[in-house]
Amino acid sequence: LAKTTQPISMDSYEGQEVNITCSHNNIATNDYITWYQQFPSQGPRFIIQGYKTKVTNEVASLFIPADRKSSTLSLPRVSLSDTAVYYCLVVLMDTGRRALTFGSGTRLQVQP
Amino acid sequence: DAGVIQSPRHEVTEMGQEVTLRCKPISGHDYLFWYRQTMMRGLELLIYFNNNVPIDDSGMPEDRFSAKMPNASFSTLKIQPSEPRDSAVYFCASRYTGTGHMNTEAFFGQGTRLTVV
């Protein structure tokens, strides 16, 4: 299972763009990259997933370089409500193992 | 769908008592996961099921923990006997991975906060 490494914490201000980078050096061909968000006292919530290049949805963008050894979650114009823990996961898409393994995550604090 | 439903939301019990946590996954989802979250250890995968069959229980900390999924709409996680170090938030999650479906999205319940005194 590919191990992920991401910063423990980040600080930002309202209105700024936040980029959280995750490294996954031993990612396998059949692995997808996915990001989750967790607010206090709630379960994690899916944000975005990707395999390569760039993916964008209404919440965030995910940038994945050609070698796929890292990925960057981009949150445009953050607000106070984006304060949360963000988890980067590598998920095997082969049959037989579909579990999601969470690392330590990045604690994002957005200041006014 | 109301999402993944867990009960109870909070449970306080005395050491040595049996505790049963319950989960109702989203209808049609073929995977169900049990996680435990603490400040020290983060979010740990305990066990997961595929079509009601346990696939991997290597995360279950010890024999005091057991999980069942008697049907597609219900799962339990039991701790017997409970100990103070079992105090944590326990999450249940479900996921659909149909054939050709490259989707990594899992849906989590609100969690059960367990306190063993």
Side-chain angles (χ1 to χ4, degrees):
Chain A
L1 203 62
K3 178 179 165 53
T4 59
T5 303
Q6 52 184 123
I8 293 174
S9 64
M10 293 182 69
D11 292 307
S12 183
Y13 292 94
E14 280 192 295
Q16 290 189 335
E17 178 183 80
V18 172
N19 296 308
I20 306 174
T21 296
C22 176
S23 67
H24 25 79
N25 291 319
N26 59 338
I27 191 168
T29 302
N30 293 326
D31 289 340
Y32 273 63
I33 298 151
T34 186
W35 286 77
Y36 279 71
Q37 173 192 56
Q38 185 178 24
F39 297 114
S41 302
Q42 294 188 24
R45 183 175 71 116
F46 173 87
I47 301 175
I48 196 168
Q49 74 172 47
Y51 185 79
K52 59 182 178 181
T53 64
K54 177 184 174 183
V55 179
T56 297
N57 62 22
E58 65 278 5
V59 176
S61 294
L62 179 59
F63 299 91
I64 305 170
D67 66 6
R68 305 200 325 123
K69 292 183 183 301
S70 67
S71 60
T72 299
L73 175 73
S74 181
L75 304 173
R77 299 182 58 79
V78 294
S79 64
L80 295 176
S81 62
D82 292 315
T83 293
V85 178
Y86 292 83
Y87 296 94
C88 164
L89 292 80
V90 170
V91 183
L92 181 65
M93 298 306 277
D94 274 345
T95 57
R97 178 160 179 90
R98 299 294 185 95
L100 303 177
T101 301
F102 289 79
S104 303
T106 296
R107 188 172 299 275
L108 173 66
Q109 181 70 48
V110 180
Q111 308 279 4
Chain B
D1 202 310
V4 176
I5 300 173
Q6 292 187 245
S7 64
R9 290 293 308 278
H10 301 274
E11 176 80 35
V12 180
T13 191
E14 291 184 347
M15 183 174 61
Q17 296 297 306
E18 177 181 292
V19 175
T20 299
L21 311 181
R22 297 173 175 78
C23 174
K24 181 181 186 318
I26 292 174
S27 176
H29 283 194
D30 52 349
Y31 277 78
L32 183 139
F33 309 90
W34 282 100
Y35 289 88
R36 176 173 71 173
Q37 187 169 37
T38 61
M39 287 294 292
M40 291 295 294
R41 301 175 69 88
L43 202 56
E44 303 174 276
L45 175 66
L46 300 177
I47 184 172
Y48 72 97
F49 297 82
N50 175 217
N51 292 323
N52 314 338
V53 176
I55 301 300
D56 185 350
D57 65 354
S58 59
M60 298 284 261
E62 45 196 280
D63 292 345
R64 298 184 297 105
F65 286 70
S66 63
K68 294 182 180 179
M69 192 166 186
N71 57 62
S73 59
F74 184 66
S75 178
T76 60
L77 178 68
K78 185 178 292 186
I79 308 172
Q80 165 64 22
S82 58
E83 297 182 3
R85 59 193 169 118
D86 302 329
S87 298
V89 180
Y90 290 81
F91 289 104
C92 174
S94 70
R95 182 178 166 205
Y96 173 71
T97 63
T99 303
H101 199 77
M102 293 302 175
N103 180 11
T104 60
E105 183 172 8
F107 294 82
F108 283 74
Q110 290 285 74
T112 295
R113 182 174 296 276
L114 173 66
T115 303
V116 183
V117 297

